[in-house]
Amino acid sequence: MADARRRLESETSAMVGAPRIHDSATRHVAGEAVYIDDIAAPEGLLHAYLGLSRIAHGRLVSLDLAPVLAAPGVVAVLTAADIPGVNDISSTHRHDEPVFATQTILHHGQPLFAVVAQTRQAAREAAALAQAVYEETPPVLDVAAARAAGGRLVTDPLKLERGDVAAALAESPRRLKGSMTIGGQDHFYLESQIALAIPGEEEDMQVFSSTQHPSEVQHMVAQVLGVASHAVTVEVRRMGGGFGGKETQSNLFACVAALAARKLKRPVKLRPDRDDDMIVTGKRHDFVVDYEIGFDDEGRIHAVDAVYAARCGWNADLSGPVTDRALFHMDNCYFYPAVRGRSEPLLTNTVSNTAFRGFGGPQGMVGAERFIEEVAFATGLDPLEVRRRNLYGGTPGEGPGRDLTPYHQTVTDNIAGEVIARLERSCDYRARQAAIREANARSPVVKRGIALTPVKFGISFTATWYNQAGALVHVYTDGSVMLNHGGTEMGQGLYVKVAQVVAQAFGIGLDQVKITATTTGKVPNTSATAASSGSDLNGMAALDACATIKARLTEFAARHWQESPEAIVFRPGFVQVGAREIAFADLVKAAYIGRVQLSATGFYATPKIHWDRKAGRGQPFYYFAYGAAAAEVAVDTLTGEYKVERVDILHDCGTSLNPAIDKGQIEGGFIQGMGWLTTEELVWDAKGVLKTHAPSTYKIPVASDRPRIFNVALLENAPNREATIHRSKAVGEPPLMLAISVLHALSDAVASVGGHRICPRLDAPATPERVLAAVERVRAEAGR
Amino acid sequence: MRDTVRFLLGDALIEIANCDPTLTVLDWLRLERRLTGSKEGCAEGDCGACTVVVGRLDRGRLRYEAINACIRFLPTLDGCQVLTVEHLKGPDGSLHPVQQAMVDCHGSQCGFCTPGIVMSLFALWLNEDAPSVARIEDALAGNLCRCTGYEPIIAAALRMSSGGHDRPDYEAVTARLHDLEDDETLALSGPGGHFFAPATVEELADLVAAHPQATLVAGATDVGLWVTKGMRRLDPVISLGRIAALREIADRGDRVVIGAMATHAEVRPVLASLSPQLDELMRRFGGEQVRNAGTIGGNIANGSPIGDLPPALIALGATLVLRRGGEQRQIPLENFFLDYRKQDRREGEFVEAVIVPRPGPDALIHVSKISKRFDEDISAVCGAFLLRLNSAGRIAEARLAYGGMAGTPKRAAAAEAALTGRRWDEAAVNAAIAALASDFTPLSDMRASAGYRLTVAGNLLRRFLIETTQPDVETRVAGQLAEAAHG
């Protein structure tokens, strides 16, 4: 008993802040973690498959589905005419995203119909048999073409402005103009999109959806079926990766499965093949950033005027907030005395680009680091020195006033300078830089490069109302606890982090807390698990529910054992009741007999934030997360091949809820960002057909791409200055942008062939081909 | 004739009579056996989420290999043992050391790739003690993880302990698989068509002659995609997998004779003995699962313009052995490739072997594969060169073969002519590069532009020159050649 007690104490004392394993780890490695495709098939299960447009732009003249219906195993075909509710799943409610196209076709791969069959293979084979007649219109495929065609926007653009940019540019000692292309990125979640819909009585529909946003799936299914939200329950235990790709993009699959289930009164599953998933669903927005910078010979930026044009695809989806967030991060860590940023969310005949880890922020930041690089090469200063000189309120001797963002929020928690300085020391940046320069001089073919770049990422949904969360906590009479909240688990470790919060609140072990699948039936009206906000929001909501239950238990215990409420303390492993030590389970049992409610909801709304989009002013972010990375690369100047050899990272997680999970987010985010900026290239042909629609042609990093030397540290003794959950900081997205250091290390290596006098202006993704082109251009310009 | 496919699933003997020729192992596991631990990530053998470990008798010795279940046809498992992630836990329910290491190192996040990664590491655990980081990376090249960035997975692989857990009973499994071996041709039919797996070359020759329209399947690393991506019905299918004679690799002194069914993994050591650059080429061939399944004959017969092996084999002067019935003919490999996806394989003929002449110590050999991603990618350009200098230091023979530069793997005749008779120096390289423009008019596609291809094709000759004349100059940034140069 004493042993058990000690074990429980050590198990519970270091709960929050402990490197606990992912709650599903032992099931993951045994193949026992259940994903939606693994759920035992309900009796009578049918399979749906989407029939897709084979043109990118034009009109559907006719669609003959008779051959589809006649195919073996086919039960039904569904078109827009079969939709009892509304043929629209636009998350913005702009009515620009039909489930099935009726006449106008806006991208290659747009769904025209669905076929339902006895087996998935039968449905998939039948879907290919449709006879569609099209009237083709030349597709508008990229930013340049969209501008040439008149620049139709999918949503209202945003302008951020502070100071008189035109005057500041005119008065700047020096100025330059440039343009940068930044590529998109496929999410490549390992589990493709999937939904399983099971009809209930009357209008009821249960939907298992691999989604980051169960509430939106619920609303969309209800809208398409023409039923009330209360008839639809959406559940997800886990996703096999999301990364933003399942924030809105899961709606289509869930709605079609539900539509088929409703029509046929049988369970229906829809899982696209990987290629179809990539052809149908949106990706990270690619951008063209056109910029003009005013600066001086000391490398100080005086003014920035930039336009951020994005390939948004065929409908608005989240392109508004994504392009907004690009502008919110056009500064990264840097103060621009005068600034104007404008977004240009362009409609194109491609997949509708969507949320992806960082949500436009990475593109804004890549632009900011290009500005710095331009200034560095123009002035002959070291890029890191230029970075330092332009930090928000970060330069010693600099008075106040250098702390205002382009959106008029004051940066009050700036630690970028400190993070950079610490990392610069710990990774021996200066000495290595000197050694690399020296070695390059002796190496005619392979050139090395090094760069250190910082990250400042704003935390909160810029749609202020999204910054709310709910939780539901039940305590059962044996002292075990059921935890439910609106956040979804996509691998990021949200479930275990929130469970740690709950276990610590009650002083119980993690094994006492059962984490249950996210479902709209338990916690309603939830926000997407996105914007890095999962543990900030849901951790606080769960803690709120625990506080409610603890207050009731405290009040009961004080009454029951005749102690003052102050004498009741939930300690690791037991509850202190005056001099007594009572097991949590015993207290719970007594409270139940005493008719105390042992279940509570919790709620949280992020304080302090507000945002006026029209005015371009406000405090959209509760706080900022910081970090810095130093990357070293080797580039082959004959082929453009390269290798990232070493990366050092110092990242700010506030007081980490779980350093092991956070380290995983940092490493994984970095590698994902590195892939985005290096080998992951999306290629469409002239007809608007995606040519990189499978892992054979779309290359995400493999094990050997990660740097062999990979030093990752969490910034210590840096609690969040805001009262977040146990003073932690959000970690889902910010580390992705640490990978910008790789782009600049490549650039540094390329610059060496021109004696570091010519700015390589290396665009992203920096494929070997782009690197070689930059090498050849720099060489040619340097030789002039 | 035997009409039942027989194999072991874990310890259980499975016998299936009516089976579609192209039913994949993954669909069978997931849909028919409800073993849902193995996942479908891509259905094209590129992501590894479906990885299972297959044990087979190789010259009587039990050999376990990771393969992709998503593109492996079930009937080709005849005579094998299949182990899935569900077979790893101990009888007491304890995690296998590989699984435990993954848990301890936080090696899973979303968990979807994890069963495949566990199985790849399990194969490594079975076959190698204390693998190096480089070797672990190779073993995982065919496993994509989108969450972790691989760092904790590598840490797990370094930590997985060798003892304390039952290994398969090699003796018992060998005996059971031996019992399943016979010389009968396996002949199955299902609603989807017919499947034949002869056990001898003679039976194969007869079957191919009798079914000239049959699809010949070796490792199915490409044919598998015709089914999973192209949704093609292949009928009949003739599998070459059971014919031990076709897997033989014979060293004949001045040449090596490689059976068409030798896998890339099996071919690697013999090619490595010819040149470290060939070793590196084979190391980078697909992922480990593809190297374990794909064959040299399949890679050639497939006729891809970018197949990795043909340029190297052409540069070496390899000869192809083709067979129809009892007849054999031999042709220089370069003559086999007629046009885009068109080969000199006559009706009823199959690739039996490849003869690779040993180049000898006087030959200078170079192989470079250029791809967007260094490992597990298809080349944008592959260049393989062989030079022989005469006693006067002039180029007596030049064989420059390229992949990715034309509709077929092809020699650069004009560039070869430009080199021949010259000293091996920069002037020669410049002349050869100028000639390349008349040799090739490459295409632009999603892998690279025509301009990049042509530039790199030339620059690879510069690399070759530097590597052969200035060995101290660093020319490779990644892979084992870079590591060897770093020391």
Side-chain angles (χ1 to χ4, degrees):
Chain A
M1 187 64 207
D3 273 1
R5 165 76 180 279
R6 256 196 305 281
R7 196 158 40 77
L8 192 58
E9 272 181 54
S10 69
E11 152 83 359
T12 52
S13 59
M15 183 57 71
V16 165
R20 307 302 298 246
I21 60 168
H22 193 284
D23 59 276
S24 296
T26 56
R27 278 164 277 165
H28 289 156
V29 298
E32 292 167 5
V34 176
Y35 302 79
I36 290 172
D37 204 32
D38 305 334
I39 295 172
E43 186 65 36
L45 178 69
L46 297 172
H47 298 263
Y49 211 82
L50 294 172
L52 307 177
S53 164
R54 295 296 161 207
I55 66 162
H57 193 200
R59 206 168 61 83
L60 181 62
V61 177
S62 67
L63 181 64
D64 179 6
L65 297 176
V68 180
L69 254 179
V74 169
V75 176
V77 292
L78 303 167
T79 66
D82 295 292
I83 293 176
V86 185
N87 182 22
D88 180 64
I89 49 170
S90 58
S91 53
T92 53
H93 307 291
R94 299 173 71 94
H95 234 81
D96 61 357
E97 188 177 355
V99 177
F100 297 124
T102 47
Q103 242 199 353
T104 310
I105 288 171
L106 289 173
H107 81 107
H108 176 263
Q110 188 171 353
L112 307 178
F113 69 94
V115 50
V116 187
Q118 300 289 351
T119 66
R120 180 170 172 274
Q121 190 177 334
R124 191 172 163 220
E125 287 176 3
L129 301 176
Q131 297 296 315
V133 178
Y134 306 101
E135 198 177 278
E136 278 192 74
T137 314
V140 174
L141 297 176
D142 58 17
V143 166
R147 281 173 166 167
R152 204 172 138 202
L153 304 181
V154 291
T155 188
D156 295 336
L158 174 68
K159 181 168 77 172
L160 299 181
E161 193 162 22
R162 206 190 63 243
D164 185 342
V165 174
L169 279 173
E171 288 162 17
S172 295
R174 303 181 61 177
R175 55 204 285 197
L176 61 78
K177 279 186 180 182
S179 181
M180 179 173 199
T181 301
I182 304 165
Q185 184 178 27
D186 189 89
H187 303 84
F188 210 84
Y189 27 67
L190 262 289
E191 178 208 35
S192 63
Q193 303 277 351
I194 183 167
L196 165 64
I198 303 173
E201 54 186 57
E202 286 197 317
E203 294 178 330
D204 290 355
M205 189 65 67
Q206 165 94 351
V207 183
F208 295 89
S209 167
S210 184
T211 177
Q212 295 171 239
H213 201 350
S215 282
E216 186 169 277
V217 170
Q218 177 195 23
H219 300 151
M220 291 300 168
V221 168
Q223 176 172 302
V224 169
L225 297 186
V227 302
S229 288
H230 64 43
V232 181
T233 306
V234 176
E235 177 172 325
V236 54
R237 171 59 184 83
R238 62 174 62 79
M239 282 163 270
F243 316 114
K246 294 172 180 171
E247 183 169 345
T248 59
Q249 302 301 293
S250 33
N251 291 336
L252 171 70
F253 304 92
C255 288
V256 171
L259 182 65
R262 163 82 173 268
K263 177 167 169 148
L264 300 167
K265 297 185 168 52
R266 285 172 68 171
V268 174
K269 183 153 73 177
L270 170 51
R271 174 172 71 84
D273 181 65
R274 168 65 59 182
D275 295 53
D276 288 332
D277 180 303
M278 291 181 76
I279 286 164
V280 170
T281 63
K283 314 186 188 309
R284 186 188 293 286
H285 291 68
D286 37 4
F287 274 69
V288 174
V289 184
D290 296 310
Y291 51 89
E292 183 165 16
I293 314 162
F295 57 101
D296 59 31
D297 286 329
E298 278 70 55
R300 288 294 180 92
I301 291 173
H302 289 215
V304 169
D305 188 10
V307 175
Y308 296 80
R311 163 153 62 181
C312 295
W314 66 285
N315 67 56
D317 185 71
L318 297 168
S319 294
V322 166
T323 47
D324 286 5
R325 191 169 272 268
L327 264 57
F328 285 125
H329 291 82
M330 67 179 289
D331 56 345
N332 192 11
C333 298
Y334 311 116
F335 175 68
Y336 305 148
V339 56
R340 182 170 60 182
R342 286 170 290 174
S343 72
E344 201 179 332
L346 292 161
L347 185 139
T348 52
N349 297 119
T350 48
V351 289
S352 183
N353 285 333
T354 190
F356 194 147
R357 203 174 195 172
F359 204 74
Q363 294 94 320
M365 255 186 233
V366 165
E369 294 301 335
R370 165 63 75 80
F371 307 161
I372 293 287
E373 186 181 44
E374 288 270 24
V375 171
F377 278 91
T379 57
L381 292 164
D382 182 69
L384 182 57
E385 186 53 34
V386 175
R387 289 188 171 100
R388 206 189 321 268
R389 290 182 186 181
N390 287 285
L391 291 175
Y392 277 110
T395 312
E398 198 59 46
R402 289 180 57 86
D403 54 7
L404 208 54
T405 63
Y407 42 97
H408 301 267
Q409 172 167 350
T410 303
V411 180
T412 59
D413 59 4
N414 184 21
I415 52 170
E418 182 193 340
V419 172
I420 290 172
R422 282 206 208 180
L423 181 67
E424 187 182 352
R425 272 196 309 277
S426 69
C427 79
D428 203 16
Y429 179 81
R430 289 290 167 196
R432 285 167 56 209
Q433 185 186 40
I436 285 169
R437 295 275 166 106
E438 201 188 306
N440 279 346
R442 286 178 278 120
S443 176
V445 175
V446 173
K447 305 286 187 183
R448 289 191 164 72
I450 188 169
L452 192 160
T453 60
V455 165
K456 165 183 131 288
F457 193 75
I459 303 300
S460 291
F461 287 99
T462 55
T464 303
W465 66 90
Y466 260 34
N467 297 288
Q468 59 172 309
L472 177 66
V473 174
H474 298 330
V475 179
Y476 296 103
T477 53
D478 63 351
S480 68
V481 171
M482 188 235 48
L483 165 63
N484 196 274
H485 52 73
T488 56
E489 176 65 41
M490 62 196 97
Q492 82 279 44
L494 171 66
Y495 275 18
V496 70
K497 279 184 169 181
V498 178
Q500 284 173 274
V501 167
V502 169
Q504 174 152 310
F506 290 128
I508 59 178
L510 262 189
D511 56 350
Q512 293 284 96
V513 181
K514 177 81 179 179
I515 308 166
T516 56
T518 310
T519 166
T520 56
K522 281 183 181 163
V523 176
N525 310 327
T526 55
S527 298
T529 307
S532 307
S533 68
S535 46
D536 277 18
L537 297 176
N538 296 290
M540 285 300 253
L543 189 63
D544 181 48
C546 295
T548 300
I549 294 171
K550 283 168 71 179
R552 292 183 197 137
L553 288 172
T554 300
E555 192 272 333
F556 165 78
R559 193 157 32 88
H560 189 73
W561 281 287
Q562 300 290 304
E563 296 281 355
S564 76
E566 292 73 41
I568 319 291
V569 187
F570 289 77
R571 295 202 185 280
F574 63 94
V575 183
Q576 187 90 46
V577 180
R580 295 181 187 83
E581 292 183 0
I582 303 204
F584 179 71
D586 293 339
L587 169 59
V588 164
K589 205 161 289 163
Y592 167 74
I593 301 295
R595 297 191 294 172
V596 173
Q597 188 188 356
L598 294 171
S599 170
T601 59
F603 187 75
Y604 178 70
T606 311
K608 295 186 178 178
I609 50 176
H610 52 89
W611 171 239
D612 180 347
R613 189 174 187 271
K614 277 209 169 61
R617 278 173 178 269
Q619 177 162 339
F621 303 121
Y622 186 29
Y623 63 90
F624 297 97
Y626 296 86
E632 181 177 336
V633 303
V635 168
D636 178 347
T637 57
L638 286 175
T639 61
E641 294 169 292
Y642 47 79
K643 174 89 176 95
V644 180
E645 297 187 322
R646 173 174 172 178
V647 170
D648 294 74
I649 288 174
L650 182 59
H651 193 78
D652 161 33
C653 299
T655 304
S656 172
L657 290 174
N658 182 325
I661 296 283
D662 285 355
K663 188 159 178 272
Q665 288 297 297
I666 295 165
E667 290 169 349
F670 177 87
I671 296 297
Q672 196 173 71
M674 182 186 84
W676 167 49
L677 294 170
T678 56
T679 57
E680 295 184 37
E681 185 176 35
L682 293 163
V683 180
W684 278 268
D685 70 11
K687 302 209 77 159
V689 179
L690 179 66
K691 303 306 285 182
T692 48
H693 48 72
S696 51
T697 46
Y698 184 76
K699 310 311 286 187
I700 73 168
V702 292
S704 59
D705 291 315
R706 101 207 176 289
R708 281 278 178 87
I709 305 173
F710 198 11
N711 300 314
V712 176
L714 274 55
L715 187 66
E716 288 179 349
N717 305 316
N720 196 334
R721 294 183 198 177
E722 299 295 342
T724 52
I725 182 74
H726 297 294
R727 300 277 173 180
S728 62
K729 282 193 178 182
V731 71
E733 294 164 293
L736 182 122
M737 285 148 278
L738 296 167
I740 298 171
S741 59
V742 172
L743 186 64
H744 285 271
L746 289 170
S747 178
D748 186 52
V750 169
S752 71
V753 305
H756 295 274
R757 288 178 292 114
I758 314 289
C759 183
R761 292 189 162 178
L762 186 58
D763 284 349
T767 56
E769 175 163 356
R770 264 197 201 89
V771 170
L772 186 63
V775 164
E776 297 196 324
R777 187 178 61 76
V778 168
R779 255 199 196 123
E781 286 187 29
R784 261 188 222 141
Chain B
M1 291 275 191
R2 170 156 59 84
D3 63 0
T4 304
V5 57
R6 303 178 305 205
F7 61 93
L8 300 178
L9 175 63
D11 288 334
L13 175 66
I14 305 291
E15 295 182 279
I16 301 172
N18 295 308
C19 177
D20 272 349
T22 59
L23 173 65
T24 65
V25 173
L26 183 64
D27 276 352
W28 180 76
L29 287 171
R30 289 185 56 86
L31 302 177
E32 296 193 23
R33 304 296 299 195
R34 281 286 300 151
L35 290 171
T36 56
S38 309
K39 309 299 183 195
E40 181 184 308
C42 69
E44 63 174 10
D46 228 89
C47 81
C50 64
T51 303
V52 298
V53 168
V54 169
R56 64 178 166 95
L57 293 184
D58 174 17
R59 278 156 278 243
R61 226 181 109 253
L62 180 58
R63 174 175 179 143
Y64 282 104
E65 294 164 322
I67 60 115
N68 291 305
C70 70
I71 48 170
R72 179 72 176 255
F73 300 144
L74 186 73
T76 68
L77 287 181
D78 191 64
C80 299
Q81 182 190 31
V82 190
L83 299 174
T84 73
V85 71
E86 285 90 350
H87 295 118
L88 258 56
K89 276 187 176 180
D92 60 348
S94 63
L95 292 178
H96 187 276
V98 173
Q99 296 172 311
Q100 190 60 52
M102 280 286 284
V103 170
D104 293 342
C105 295
H106 306 276
S108 70
Q109 287 184 23
C110 87
F112 201 82
C113 74
T114 309
I117 288 195
V118 164
M119 293 312 285
S120 283
L121 291 182
F122 172 64
L124 185 65
W125 179 87
L126 278 176
N127 294 323
E128 295 171 45
D129 286 331
S132 66
V133 169
R135 181 64 198 112
I136 293 165
E137 288 171 357
D138 283 349
L140 290 174
N143 290 89
L144 299 179
C145 168
R146 194 54 153 167
C147 296
T148 64
Y150 305 99
E151 187 70 15
I153 296 169
I154 304 288
L158 289 169
R159 186 197 273 215
M160 54 194 190
S161 62
S162 49
H165 208 276
D166 283 347
R167 298 165 66 82
D169 185 338
Y170 276 65
E171 217 170 293
V173 175
T174 302
R176 291 187 71 185
L177 294 185
H178 189 71
D179 286 347
L180 297 180
E181 286 186 330
D182 61 19
D183 285 340
E184 295 285 312
T185 291
L186 175 62
L188 300 172
S189 28
H194 303 274
F195 176 93
F196 301 97
T200 65
V201 180
E202 291 65 35
E203 285 284 344
L204 170 66
D206 291 348
L207 274 167
V208 176
H211 303 276
Q213 299 308 316
T215 302
L216 300 190
V217 174
T221 55
D222 192 51
V223 174
L225 276 72
W226 302 358
V227 173
T228 62
K229 298 297 173 182
M231 291 189 281
R232 279 169 62 181
R233 289 277 166 107
L234 307 178
D235 182 25
V237 168
I238 301 176
S239 166
L240 285 61
R242 291 179 63 224
I243 306 168
L246 283 181
R247 288 183 184 270
E248 274 171 22
I249 299 173
D251 192 337
R252 302 267 159 78
D254 62 340
R255 64 196 198 281
V256 184
V257 181
I258 304 172
M261 280 299 292
T263 64
H264 304 309
E266 289 164 340
V267 169
R268 183 177 167 191
V270 65
L271 290 183
S273 74
L274 306 184
S275 154
Q277 307 221 356
L278 288 164
D279 187 32
E280 172 70 346
L281 178 74
M282 298 311 293
R283 184 193 69 76
R284 291 173 64 196
F285 206 117
E288 183 103 337
Q289 300 91 325
V290 166
R291 296 191 286 269
N292 286 335
T295 65
I296 186 170
N299 193 243
I300 292 167
N302 176 284
S304 161
I306 41 179
D308 278 351
L309 262 173
L313 295 175
I314 289 171
L316 292 169
T319 300
L320 198 62
V321 181
L322 292 147
R323 173 152 175 181
R324 176 166 58 186
E327 299 166 40
Q328 265 188 357
R329 70 183 170 113
Q330 299 192 359
I331 56 169
L333 177 57
E334 63 218 70
N335 295 349
F336 180 65
F337 303 104
L338 301 175
D339 205 343
Y340 178 69
R341 294 274 178 190
K342 190 165 181 289
Q343 302 90 41
D344 179 19
R345 184 163 73 84
R346 298 169 193 165
E347 202 174 82
E349 219 171 33
F350 61 92
V351 174
E352 189 173 18
V354 185
I355 302 170
V356 184
R358 199 174 276 284
D362 62 322
L364 302 176
I365 296 174
H366 181 98
V367 184
S368 279
K369 169 178 168 174
I370 307 300
S371 49
K372 224 181 264 185
R373 185 176 69 199
F374 197 74
D375 283 330
E376 211 218 4
D377 198 355
I378 294 164
S379 26
V381 180
C382 187
F385 316 132
L386 182 144
L387 289 186
R388 279 200 178 84
L389 306 184
N390 63 22
S391 52
R394 299 202 175 259
I395 297 166
E397 184 186 9
R399 298 179 66 90
L400 312 180
Y402 285 95
M405 295 293 290
T408 62
K410 197 180 148 206
R411 282 176 71 177
E416 289 176 355
L419 286 178
T420 307
R422 283 179 178 265
R423 292 196 180 282
W424 179 224
D425 58 16
E426 194 162 346
V429 166
N430 286 336
I433 287 173
L436 278 178
S438 60
D439 280 319
F440 297 115
T441 315
L443 295 175
S444 291
D445 65 11
M446 68 289 205
R447 293 199 175 88
S449 70
Y452 178 74
R453 285 189 157 110
L454 207 51
T455 302
V456 165
N459 282 357
L460 292 183
L461 293 172
R462 294 192 196 284
R463 180 191 267 183
F464 185 19
L465 177 68
I466 293 168
E467 289 184 351
T468 48
T469 58
Q470 298 172 263
D472 291 342
V473 170
E474 189 180 4
T475 55
R476 308 268 186 155
V477 294
Q480 65 184 22
L481 294 174
E483 270 176 44
H486 284 309

